[in-house]
Amino acid sequence: MADGGGARPAAVDAAGGDDGAGPAAPPAGKGSSPAPVRNRFPSLPLDDLKDFPYNHKVNLDYPGLQCVYRAQVTGAPVFIVRNFLSDAECDVCLAKCTGRLLLSKTTRGVIRTSSHVRVAREETPGLHQRLANLTARTVDSLESAKIIRYQKGHHFGKHCDITAAHVYGGVATLDGREAPAHTNREVTCFIYLNDVAEGGETAFYQEAVHINGDGSEVIKPGKEADGDFSEEVLRIQPERGMLVMFFPTAQPPSGELPPLTAPGNQMLWPFPTEQKAFVYDDMWHTGCPAVDEKYLLAVWAWPPYVDVVKGKTYDGINREDRPTDGVIL
């Protein structure tokens, strides 16, 4: 799956509600590209998200936070924060990759041809605290930072960012209890570490197919079966230091998940166990094939009541993070 085959959405690169100037010329650091990258998005009202019922609140007062997309059915948002990391901080992250990258694995049939390193939590206390402030939870609910490299031709097929922690034995709460079955990654945050002039965009899709609990598929009314049953709704060009944030799953504080319809725009992820992660169909996304080399840093936040180290997540029993160069970020 490359970029979904869809036309570039009108919401991107159109004159919108941002400052109109676009980002500054590329920085002089080693992660720079020779040509400037310009993302132009609408600025959707943040006040409209204060009562969003399906996820725990993020910090809508965070400096520079901009809502650039709302899902058509649920209203789930996609946010950006430009210059979340400085040029110097991006260079610190890039240095942690040297000689330490591992090949990323293909998961559940989704093609992924990148390489990565998970950085020991002890090396990123400042980054984690900044992300905790943005996502309005403690650092205990944040996974370790994963730095990912895409070389020419590398890409990540359409996926939804959930993980099978329940399948592997459970997710722990801050007070040591077993979390509800639908508990999963609630917030995806990733930060581009270099400007990319060509290729490597992140594209978001609205699903044109509903997946029933038994795994059968129903194409939604008015949608065509175009090969991957998806409609591109948003595309973001990598811009150095810019953070992108969205909700891959519904984690409602009330415990009441959005209603399922058949066909509908959401689904219960059909793992063959008690896994009940509620995936937003319109938050599926892909890393389009890279032309220029691309680096990004990703951190996933769980609901505020989750302790990712106590549970069987990437930071718990199945811990994958490791020391790199020891430089503190």
Side-chain angles (χ1 to χ4, degrees), residues 305-321:
Y305 54 82
V306 169
D307 188 319
V308 298
V309 175
K310 289 180 181 176
K312 294 186 178 181
T313 65
Y314 290 104
D315 291 75
I317 294 174
N318 299 324
R319 186 165 180 168
E320 188 184 63
D321 65 316

Side-chain angles (χ1 to χ4, degrees), residues 141-161:
S141 299
L142 305 181
E143 292 185 27
S144 54
K146 183 176 183 179
I147 302 175
I148 308 165
R149 181 185 69 182
Y150 293 86
Q151 295 178 297
K152 186 174 182 178
H154 289 179
H155 70 286
F156 193 174
K158 188 152 58 72
H159 60 285
C160 61
D161 280 359

Side-chain angles (χ1 to χ4, degrees), residues 125-141:
L127 172 67
H128 272 82
Q129 188 56 60
R130 199 181 306 179
L131 288 168
N133 294 341
L134 172 64
T135 59
R137 59 207 70 203
T138 70
V139 296
D140 297 316
S141 299

Side-chain angles (χ1 to χ4, degrees), residues 233-263:
V233 295
L234 177 67
R235 184 176 286 221
I236 301 174
Q237 188 77 24
E239 180 180 317
R240 194 177 206 217
M242 183 172 72
L243 173 139
V244 178
M245 178 173 69
F246 60 94
F247 297 121
T249 68
Q251 300 292 329
S254 67
E256 302 217 3
L257 293 167
L260 276 175
T261 59

Side-chain angles (χ1 to χ4, degrees), residues 37 48 62 68 73 82 113 165 177 191 204 217 224 236 261 278 281 289 292 301 306:
V37 178
D48 292 351
Y62 194 90
V68 299
V73 175
R82 283 191 163 101
T113 52
R177 294 179 294 109
I191 308 159
F204 287 81
E217 297 181 345
E224 296 294 329
I236 301 174
T261 59
F278 191 103
D281 272 8
D292 299 329
V306 169

